Amino acid sequence: METVNVEGVILNTTNFGNSNRVVTIYTKELGKLEVNAYSCRKARSPLSGAIQMFNHICAEISQGPHVDTIRDAEVINFFPNLTADIDRLSYASIFFEVVNKMTLPKICEVEVYNLLVESLPILDKKNPQVAALISITKFMELTGFQLNFESCVRCGKKILGTASLCLDEGGAVCENCTHGAVKGYSYSENLRATFENFLHYDFQTTKEINFSSRQIQTAEKILFRHVQNILGQELRSINFLRQLQP
Ligand SMILES: [Zn+2]
């Protein structure tokens, strides 16, 4: 049995048995891993503090022929606001469920790991809705499932003025190609600027996140629909958020 040391972000945890958990960690070294954490729900377990969703940890993992087991874990960083505020928790959970569902195990993509590490502080402290949409937009760019925001998916011309955004076709369709009718979502210049700002958002900036709430609502609707279309399923975290909303 080989033991490896990894750094990772906890994407999900599922309880099993009286005191155990299956933990999904996106690691810097090995990509996404699903590992068993035995007895971690016992108060005196050395793992109990570290094995919590959203924690950034370093861990020692024993790799068995069928099952990997986490032996030791230490918290590098944790984000107390994420679990203290239901809105923040919901949006952070959506981003984490998207990453969990759209990545394959044991395929290492360090950009995905870096995105998780960089997004956690803004999910914890800034506008959680905008923080989640920025993170999902950047993640879609990394996975290659991004909608084409800039040019028409049919004729290739740069989009100017109002156009359509058509999820079935993978992005923007210009007015020439739709003969002036809206196909899918109406795609205004403001909405296009919002997606561009998400994509190029600098996680290191100290500036407050400031976007128009109307554009944010539309961008959310489009991004969530797009992700769920790709996955071919509704996300539990998105349904949970909908239940919270009036
Ligand atoms: Zn066109």
Side-chain angles (χ1 to χ4, degrees):
M1 195 175 278
E2 196 189 345
T3 300
V4 289
N5 290 301
V6 295
E7 249 182 58
V9 172
I10 299 186
L11 290 181
N12 193 34
T13 67
T14 309
N15 293 344
F16 77 97
N18 286 334
S19 57
N20 316 312
R21 273 193 181 135
V22 178
V23 188
T24 311
I25 312 177
Y26 201 98
T27 70
K28 186 181 183 177
E29 297 80 3
L30 304 169
K32 187 173 77 172
L33 300 179
E34 206 163 78
V35 298
N36 286 347
Y38 293 107
S39 302
C40 71
R41 284 151 57 216
K42 287 184 179 161
R44 64 177 187 283
S45 162
L47 294 175
S48 68
I51 306 296
Q52 310 287 339
M53 192 164 161
F54 307 118
N55 278 3
H56 181 199
I57 61 169
C58 54
E60 187 184 303
I61 289 169
S62 294
Q63 294 185 299
H66 305 295
V67 179
D68 297 339
T69 307
I70 188 161
R71 299 287 174 201
D72 194 17
E74 226 173 272
V75 176
I76 297 172
N77 210 349
F78 72 105
F79 303 91
N81 299 332
L82 290 183
T83 44
D85 171 342
I86 191 84
D87 223 34
R88 218 170 262 292
L89 175 68
S90 305
Y91 277 106
S93 300
I94 291 170
F95 174 48
F96 272 47
E97 191 177 358
V98 169
V99 174
N100 194 7
K101 290 261 164 72
M102 292 188 68
T103 50
L104 293 169
K106 299 196 176 178
I107 293 178
C108 183
E109 290 189 71
V110 78
E111 292 91 348
V112 173
Y113 168 79
N114 289 338
L115 175 61
L116 287 164
V117 170
E118 287 187 316
S119 68
L120 277 165
I122 70 158
L123 288 162
D124 190 58
K125 292 211 172 66
K126 298 200 177 179
N127 177 320
Q129 181 186 25
V130 178
L133 297 181
I134 288 171
S135 305
I136 292 170
T137 307
K138 285 176 178 280
F139 175 72
M140 297 306 274
E141 188 76 9
L142 292 178
T143 57
F145 284 111
Q146 187 71 278
L147 290 164
N148 193 339
F149 294 127
E150 286 181 6
S151 55
C152 174
V153 291
R154 293 196 197 167
C155 70
K157 284 191 186 140
K158 189 172 166 53
I159 297 286
L160 299 167
T162 299
S164 302
L165 197 64
C166 185
L167 303 187
D168 296 342
E169 296 194 41
V173 185
C174 77
E175 276 197 308
N176 259 350
C177 289
T178 58
H179 308 290
V182 172
K183 194 170 183 300
Y185 297 93
S186 171
Y187 189 40
S188 66
E189 277 184 54
N190 285 341
L191 184 57
R192 189 152 60 254
T194 303
F195 282 124
E196 290 293 320
N197 287 332
F198 287 170
L199 196 55
H200 301 297
Y201 180 80
D202 174 9
F203 284 117
Q204 309 308 324
T205 184
T206 50
K207 279 193 229 154
E208 267 311 301
I209 295 176
N210 208 354
F211 294 106
S212 122
S213 68
R214 187 158 155 249
Q215 302 306 334
I216 296 298
Q217 289 308 120
T218 312
E220 174 179 304
K221 198 160 73 175
I222 292 169
L223 278 179
F224 287 0
R225 191 68 267 150
H226 179 48
V227 166
Q228 293 181 122
N229 283 358
I230 290 169
L231 289 168
Q233 61 177 220
E234 301 288 309
L235 291 192
R236 204 177 53 168
S237 53
I238 291 177
N239 287 338
F240 180 73
L241 177 76
R242 296 287 173 251
Q243 284 167 21
L244 295 180
Q245 290 168 336

